[in-house]
Amino acid sequence: MAQINLKEVKSVSYQPAKLHQGYTNHSLHINVGKNEINVRCIEEKIKQTFIGGKGYDLWLMWHAVSETTRWDDPENAICISSGPLGGVPGYPGGGKSIVTTISPLTGAPIDSNVGGYFGPYKKFAGFDVIQLDGRAEQDTVILIDGIENTIKLFHARSFPEDAYEMSAALTHYFDEKKPVNVSVVTTGPGAEHTYFGCLNFSWWDAGRKIVRYKQAGRGGIGTVFADKKIKAVVARYGAVSMKTNQPADPEGLKAVTRAYTKEIITLDPKQNRMALVGTTHLVPIMNDHDCLPVHNFKFGSHPQGKVIGEETYEHIFDKGFDGCWKGCAVACAHGVKDFYPLTGPYKGKKVFVDGPEYETVAGCGSNLGIFDAHTILEMNFYCDAYGLDTISVGTSIAFAMECFASGQITVNHTGGMDLNFGNRFNALELVHQMAQGEGFGTVVGKGVRRMKEIFARDYGAESTFLQDIGMESKGLEFSEYITKESLAQQGGYGLALKGPQHDEAWLIFLDMVHNFMPTFENKAEALHWFPMLRTWFGLCGLCKLPWNDIVPADNKETDEPAKVVKHVAWYAQFFSAVTGRKVNSEDLITMSEAVYNFQRIFNLKMGYGTREHDSVPYRAMGPVTEEEYESRAERYDTQLTETYGMDISAMDTPDKMAVLRSKREEQYELLKNAVYKRRGWTADGIPTVETVKRLGIDFPEVLGVLKAHGVV
């Protein structure tokens, strides 16, 4: 066990607010630069309007930053909330936290949904939401102790660098006898040297007697954490039961929890087997439907795709309960024990790997041309240890690899490294370089948007080509799905508030496979309803997977099977039972609309949030290279002739590509029009005054931002 040396510099005792119907109605504010600790009440209007979770985070952040605040300014805040439903043991997916900050990658608010015990423990200790700001002079550890009712700040000395050793050491330091009482939030050295550092949220795995992790990965939140010299935030709390949240209707809560849990236990083994293989079940499905990213999103399938999917991980995942919160029946947080890395500081040492999940398998596997489970596991392990987002790591390396393969960059730029697709050892070397702040890894660690600038400006690469193949939008790297044949999913990525992340709108199958959305109006409706429902999970402290990854047996017989309406009704019952606020399924959408539109206006405040920022690279729409077109030539030729009525008999491949591009880019702009209209936004993508008044977010400062952009 690594040794740590903490010097206490501030200690405040507090009387914890009593939980009432899922809320403490208090927020905790810590400025690590000034060593200030303050507790504040949350107004009833804010509670009713912003619900909790991401809503609370965004409201606090709005008041913490100005329109000129940048990610590395001391006033940039990291906010963490769990929501009123967070922390109910036994309810599927009930232990989530939502983390927000101003992103180093995008310059706008980023939010990330994460498991682990921290969110519930922090709330049960007395705080619905915490805000961290300032910049410490020395490495700092924060303790929120809900057992001793103290908040302490420590300066850290002789501290382990990587997240695994750090979290394990702090867990035992703060509660050696009952490590299950401790949850740690930390990052690693990679966050200090890249723009896409992640945060690891821990929980104690009592069966294996080890500390386990989930990641708040997206947008560089860990990078902000490291910039503030915060080494860790620790929450400590004791026993938890269904009474801890003090629900309004305990019997109603028990009933809906039992029903949902029973359904999952019965149906998961027959459907996606999440409790056995987690999200790796998606790999063969995506491969079969041409949606698995291969070679920087150039292709959508590969003959070797099967070897990095569920059939492989079913045999190497360690058997045992794998829920990232107490009693979750989905239990999808799998890992691999007795793993021996071949490179880096843990070379030849036995470790436990948390994961991989689908996004890591696709991003650090197929998208790099790597079809080797061991390499993917090693990249997964080191990204967690170093505090790096596996999605941004995978998509950024894939971009660099295609630039290398196409001659846009050479070994003269990469420090002598061959970065052709499939070079697994150099992919791992880049991860180590990112953590050390050395070599070409420092360039890749800046993310795709900045790499495009560097490659064009300093290496002489072709800017137009880089723009077409650089898989980022708003500065955030794409998560791992091919969207070329789904206009709705192109909108799901391009119109997502934080950038191209699937947790806001995942519509590929509904659009591409099932053709449920043939018109722009159908797509616009889906791009309204689905982001709103998914936002709601982030308001309440819940995981989205139980909603539609395991569905009722009769779901296909319902009028709208994609919505899984039975589950949505259960979530409404869940919310009512805990909070005492009687709601129905439609109310969940309205709740989210308020926060969603507020976040869009927050983007506007920070200099973004208009039509021009909702663009996607052309590769997300269609083929950039001739090889790409010809790999799906029959499909594209048929579309040109049958869908668009073109005579292509005299056209060569470049001609056909140009015509197809013109049509697809036109379709995407028409989709924007339809979505903006459905959401109650202007043609430039800004919420109207009428919309913000309808949603009750017509605060003076909100109206002021709209007015400054000509919306009155």
Side-chain angles (χ1 to χ4, degrees):
M1 182 68 64
Q3 297 298 308
I4 60 174
N5 185 344
L6 300 181
K7 178 184 177 182
E8 184 178 309
V9 295
K10 180 90 171 188
S11 180
V12 174
S13 297
Y14 71 98
Q15 184 63 40
K18 291 184 178 179
L19 272 144
H20 179 65
Q21 298 179 357
Y23 291 96
T24 70
N25 298 315
H26 285 78
S27 58
L28 173 63
H29 303 253
I30 299 175
N31 185 301
V32 294
K34 300 176 181 179
N35 291 335
E36 290 181 350
I37 300 171
N38 293 290
V39 178
R40 300 173 189 168
C41 294
I42 297 173
E43 298 176 16
E44 184 65 21
K45 178 174 174 55
I46 302 306
K47 174 179 174 180
Q48 294 298 316
T49 303
F50 292 95
I51 309 303
K54 184 168 78 167
Y56 278 7
D57 286 355
L58 291 169
W59 178 250
L60 291 184
M61 279 181 58
W62 175 285
H63 293 282
V65 305
S66 71
E67 64 276 1
T68 61
T69 298
R70 298 298 174 254
W71 74 268
D72 54 354
D73 289 336
E75 67 266 25
N76 186 18
I78 299 172
C79 295
I80 309 174
S81 182
S82 58
L85 309 186
V88 175
Y91 199 91
K96 289 284 191 168
S97 301
I98 296 82
V99 194
T100 64
T101 194
I102 300 299
S103 167
L105 290 170
T106 71
I110 192 77
D111 60 272
S112 200
N113 187 304
V114 57
Y117 286 15
F118 182 85
Y121 279 7
K122 171 269 308 165
K123 183 173 75 168
F124 297 151
F127 309 104
D128 287 331
V129 56
I130 62 173
Q131 175 183 317
L132 310 173
D133 52 26
R135 181 186 292 114
E137 293 184 1
Q138 300 180 48
D139 289 341
T140 299
V141 172
I142 300 167
L143 171 67
I144 304 167
D145 193 331
I147 296 177
E148 300 293 335
N149 296 333
T150 58
I151 300 164
K152 296 182 179 182
L153 305 183
F154 302 87
H155 284 162
R157 304 170 180 174
S158 304
F159 216 63
E161 282 195 3
D162 75 70
Y164 283 98
E165 290 193 357
M166 199 183 312
S167 298
L170 287 170
T171 296
H172 291 285
Y173 182 91
F174 285 115
D175 206 324
E176 180 65 36
K177 293 183 178 179
K178 291 187 177 181
V180 72
N181 290 344
V182 176
S183 179
V184 180
V185 178
T186 191
T187 188
E192 299 178 32
H193 300 121
T194 71
Y195 286 160
F196 39 67
C198 76
L199 292 179
N200 290 292
F201 279 56
S202 81
W203 79 95
W204 177 254
D205 185 329
R208 299 179 180 89
K209 300 188 183 306
I210 58 172
V211 175
R212 300 281 306 279
Y213 306 90
K214 290 297 245 180
Q215 287 71 39
R218 307 295 355 244
I221 299 174
T223 299
V224 180
F225 197 83
D227 180 72
K228 293 183 177 301
K229 291 189 176 295
I230 302 174
K231 298 299 287 187
V233 185
V234 182
R236 181 170 178 253
Y237 194 76
V240 174
S241 72
M242 293 187 76
K243 295 180 180 179
T244 309
N245 257 311
Q246 291 299 305
D249 179 6
E251 293 306 312
L253 175 59
K254 289 179 183 177
V256 72
T257 300
R258 288 194 194 104
Y260 209 167
T261 298
K262 180 180 179 181
E263 181 190 81
I264 288 173
I265 292 172
T266 302
L267 296 178
D268 178 47
K270 304 173 185 178
Q271 294 181 8
N272 292 324
R273 305 187 305 150
M274 301 284 283
L276 187 63
V277 299
T279 57
T280 66
H281 76 275
L282 286 168
V283 177
I285 297 172
M286 296 300 111
N287 198 49
D288 289 346
H289 287 88
D290 201 31
C291 292
L292 181 71
V294 175
H295 293 185
N296 191 35
F297 297 86
K298 183 183 290 187
F299 310 116
S301 63
H302 194 279
Q304 291 182 276
K306 189 175 183 179
V307 304
I308 56 171
E310 61 178 332
E311 290 187 11
T312 295
Y313 290 103
E314 178 178 353
H315 297 292
I316 60 178
F317 279 146
D318 188 36
K319 302 297 187 291
F321 175 73
D322 283 314
C324 66
W325 176 239
K326 300 172 185 286
C328 175
V330 180
C332 64
H334 302 301
V336 177
K337 72 173 183 178
D338 300 341
F339 180 80
Y340 291 88
L342 300 177
T343 67
Y346 284 87
K347 179 180 179 179
K349 299 178 182 178
K350 184 169 66 175
V351 301
F352 187 94
V353 184
D354 278 286
E357 296 195 29
Y358 166 78
E359 297 291 336
T360 303
V361 173
C364 298
S366 60
N367 211 20
L368 306 184
I370 294 172
F371 296 90
D372 174 69
H374 191 288
T375 301
I376 294 168
L377 284 166
E378 188 159 340
M379 289 188 75
N380 186 143
F381 172 80
Y382 276 117
C383 282
D384 292 351
Y386 294 151
L388 295 169
D389 171 24
T390 58
I391 295 177
S392 281
V393 165
T395 300
S396 295
I397 294 177
F399 172 73
M401 283 183 162
E402 182 166 7
C403 289
F404 186 90
S406 62
Q408 300 293 322
I409 62 173
T410 70
V411 291
N412 295 325
H413 308 122
T414 66
M417 282 194 292
D418 176 343
L419 285 186
N420 278 301
F421 287 111
N423 194 324
R424 55 197 180 101
F425 287 107
N426 281 344
L428 279 163
E429 174 61 20
L430 281 176
V431 173
H432 297 311
Q433 288 185 3
M434 290 180 202
Q436 296 156 5
E438 298 176 353
F440 190 60
T442 61
V443 178
V444 179
K446 289 179 168 59
V448 171
R449 174 166 288 187
R450 290 177 175 87
M451 273 195 286
K452 289 188 294 186
E453 298 171 357
I454 293 168
F455 291 2
R457 182 189 65 228
D458 300 340
Y459 304 163
E462 184 184 344
S463 181
T464 300
F465 179 69
L466 301 183
Q467 293 300 327
D468 282 348
I469 68 164
M471 298 304 288
E472 59 83 17
S473 177
K474 298 181 174 68
L476 184 69
E477 285 73 31
F478 270 58
S479 64
E480 310 301 329
Y481 298 96
I482 294 286
T483 64
K484 292 182 178 75
E485 304 313 311
S486 172
L487 179 60
Q489 188 56 43
Q490 293 164 31
Y493 272 154
L495 295 166
L497 298 182
K498 64 186 171 189
Q501 174 68 2
H502 57 283
D503 68 353
E504 188 169 306
W506 195 90
L507 301 171
I508 292 177
F509 273 29
L510 305 183
D511 187 35
M512 186 182 87
V513 178
H514 301 303
N515 195 31
F516 285 163
M517 297 173 279
T519 69
F520 286 114
E521 290 72 25
N522 296 145
K523 291 176 173 61
E525 181 59 36
L527 284 165
H528 173 73
W529 192 91
F530 284 92
M532 294 312 123
L533 184 69
R534 287 168 174 262
T535 293
W536 184 83
F537 290 97
L539 304 183
C540 294
L542 302 178
C543 175
K544 306 174 190 70
L545 290 181
W547 158 53
N548 64 351
D549 276 72
I550 303 158
V551 300
D554 61 352
N555 188 60
K556 288 184 178 180
E557 300 169 15
T558 62
D559 292 336
E560 296 182 284
K563 292 183 176 181
V564 197
V565 293
K566 179 180 178 182
H567 286 176
V568 177
W570 277 352
Y571 284 117
Q573 292 176 37
F574 183 22
F575 187 87
S576 298
V578 172
T579 69
R581 181 174 169 181
K582 300 301 180 183
V583 298
N584 57 37
S585 298
E586 290 74 21
D587 293 328
L588 308 189
I589 304 302
T590 305
M591 289 181 199
S592 296
E593 275 192 276
V595 175
Y596 194 90
N597 279 268
F598 181 78
Q599 186 172 353
R600 181 71 173 191
I601 297 167
F602 200 160
N603 285 355
L604 195 65
K605 171 183 175 178
M606 303 309 296
Y608 307 96
T610 55
R611 189 183 188 103
E612 66 175 307
H613 301 109
D614 290 340
S615 61
V616 293
Y618 182 63
R619 176 158 284 166
M621 301 184 198
V624 173
T625 67
E626 291 187 42
E627 177 190 25
E628 207 171 340
Y629 186 101
E630 289 166 359
S631 71
R632 304 176 177 93
E634 182 178 355
R635 175 191 299 168
Y636 295 141
D637 286 352
T638 299
Q639 289 175 1
L640 287 173
T641 56
E642 296 184 1
T643 303
Y644 300 117
M646 305 290 296
D647 179 2
I648 62 172
S649 58
M651 292 183 182
D652 59 12
T653 297
D655 290 337
K656 289 187 285 189
M657 289 172 59
V659 173
L660 184 66
R661 179 168 187 154
S662 174
K663 296 295 184 182
R664 293 197 169 191
E665 289 179 334
E666 177 185 29
Q667 293 290 297
Y668 185 70
E669 292 303 316
L670 291 173
L671 178 67
K672 283 185 187 177
N673 293 341
V675 174
Y676 293 162
K677 180 179 179 181
R678 174 61 185 89
R679 291 181 177 176
W681 296 357
T682 70
D684 198 29
I686 301 174
T688 65
V689 171
E690 180 183 6
T691 295
V692 301
K693 286 184 176 180
R694 174 176 65 84
L695 298 172
I697 56 171
D698 52 333
F699 301 95
E701 55 266 50
V702 168
L703 294 175
V705 170
L706 294 180
K707 184 177 181 181
H709 288 82
V711 179
V712 294

